[in-house]
């Protein structure tokens, strides 16, 4: 299965200027933002794809790394030295385009939960507190959707297969944890709350192992 092409996603040519990329991004945001399409369930995924593409092309350094990787993938029959250099470049590009942005999102989500739980604990039956908690869960879900798209947008180099596996399972645990926490908001059954927190703790351990492996 081919990986998403950010140029195709943003509907721009590979020769587009940074100004043209920015203009295309703004146009697509206005066209597909979920706020304008509340009944379209796919709008969040579409916006996540647009945001992930813009994270690559909107930053000149990331764009150059992506373009270089694309050229590397098209090159064949390299001598051993060139092949080693290509592997090093591929690893550096993966760290820049995948590991770093995904890790930032995971870290932000993990760090934010205890504060949100403490705020809700003041009175779980308070409508305003619960509405705030639900908004927080929705924000986390959007962030993790973006992280998943970013993770899937680039191939994982063999040298970091274990790191990539930890990232993948960490993302899955966080998404499952959000599902449990959302169930708590509907039922007020503490079992969902405890399970959600436990899944976040598992994700935290996976993330720590991922960073140690790196």
């Amino acid at each position: 299965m081919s990986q998403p092409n950010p140029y195709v996603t943003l509907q721009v040519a590979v020769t587009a200027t940074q100004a043209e990329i920015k203009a295309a991004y703004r146009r697509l945001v206005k066209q597909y933002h979920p706020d304008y399409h509340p009944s379209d369930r796919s709008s969040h995924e579409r916006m996540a794809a647009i945001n992930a593409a813009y994270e690559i092309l909107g930053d000149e350094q990331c764009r150059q790394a992506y373009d270089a990787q694309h050229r590397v993938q098209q090159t064949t029959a390299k001598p051993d030295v060139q092949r080693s250099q290509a592997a090093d470049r591929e690893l550096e590009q993966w760290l820049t385009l995948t590991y770093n942005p995904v890790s930032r999102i995971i870290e932000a989500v993990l760090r934010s939960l205890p504060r949100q739980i403490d705020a809700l604990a003041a009175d779980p039956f308070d409508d305003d507190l619960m509405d705030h908690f639900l908004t927080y869960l929705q924000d986390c879900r959007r962030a993790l959707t973006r992280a998943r798209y970013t993770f899937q947008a680039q191939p994982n180099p063999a040298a970091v297969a274990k790191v990539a596996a930890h990232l993948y399972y960490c993302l899955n645990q966080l998404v499952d944890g959000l599902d449990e926490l959302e169930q708590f908001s509907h039922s007020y059954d503490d079992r969902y709350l405890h399970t959600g927190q436990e899944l976040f703790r598992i994700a935290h351990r996976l993330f720590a192992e991922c960073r140690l492996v790196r």
Side-chain angles (χ1 to χ4, degrees):
M1 180 177 179
S2 60
Q3 301 296 332
N5 185 320
Y7 289 102
V8 174
T9 300
L10 294 184
Q11 301 175 18
V12 294
V14 294
T15 56
T17 65
Q18 291 303 121
E20 290 171 335
I21 289 173
K22 187 174 184 179
Y25 171 72
R26 288 179 172 177
R27 173 177 55 79
L28 291 172
V29 168
K30 292 179 181 178
Q31 183 176 355
Y32 293 113
H33 198 282
D35 289 349
Y36 302 130
H37 306 280
S39 62
D40 185 356
R41 295 183 179 180
S42 66
S43 59
H44 290 298
E45 293 184 3
R46 186 183 295 113
M47 271 308 308
I50 292 169
N51 286 331
Y54 188 66
E55 284 185 7
I56 295 173
L57 301 185
D59 181 276
E60 289 192 44
Q61 184 178 0
C62 287
R63 181 184 180 184
Q64 290 172 2
Y66 175 84
D67 290 343
Q69 183 186 43
H70 183 72
R71 287 194 295 271
V72 167
Q73 290 174 339
Q74 297 301 320
T75 304
T76 56
K78 305 180 185 72
D80 290 342
V81 173
Q82 289 181 326
R83 189 174 292 112
S84 177
Q85 291 174 341
D88 290 342
R89 287 196 297 271
E90 183 183 26
L91 175 59
E92 184 61 32
Q93 289 153 14
W94 184 82
L95 292 174
T96 300
L97 300 177
T98 302
Y99 182 87
N100 291 337
V102 171
S103 293
R104 283 194 294 268
I105 292 174
I106 290 175
E107 189 169 9
V109 171
L110 287 171
R111 189 172 58 245
S112 65
L113 181 65
R115 184 171 62 253
Q116 296 294 330
I117 293 293
D118 288 344
L120 184 64
D123 185 359
F125 297 98
D126 182 277
D127 289 340
D128 289 338
L129 289 178
M130 183 56 75
D131 286 345
H132 181 80
F133 186 66
L134 285 172
T135 298
Y136 158 73
L137 294 181
Q138 292 170 359
D139 290 343
C140 285
R141 198 177 294 280
R142 293 190 188 101
L144 292 175
T145 297
R146 187 167 69 253
R148 277 179 154 179
Y149 181 88
T150 301
F151 179 81
Q152 295 168 356
Q154 303 294 328
N156 301 319
V160 291
K162 192 171 183 180
V163 175
H166 279 82
L167 281 179
Y168 175 80
Y169 290 120
C170 182
L171 287 170
N172 285 347
Q173 293 296 318
L174 289 174
V175 171
D176 289 345
L178 290 178
D179 290 341
E180 293 294 318
L181 294 173
E182 188 170 341
Q183 284 296 324
F184 169 74
S185 72
H186 299 315
S187 66
Y188 291 95
D189 187 331
D190 285 344
R191 289 176 298 179
Y192 291 116
L193 181 62
H194 295 325
T195 301
Q197 290 176 289
E198 179 59 27
L199 289 170
F200 265 64
R201 282 190 285 269
I202 293 171
H204 193 281
R205 289 196 295 270
L206 287 168
F207 188 51
E209 292 174 16
C210 166
R211 299 178 71 171
L212 288 173
V213 171
R214 181 192 176 198

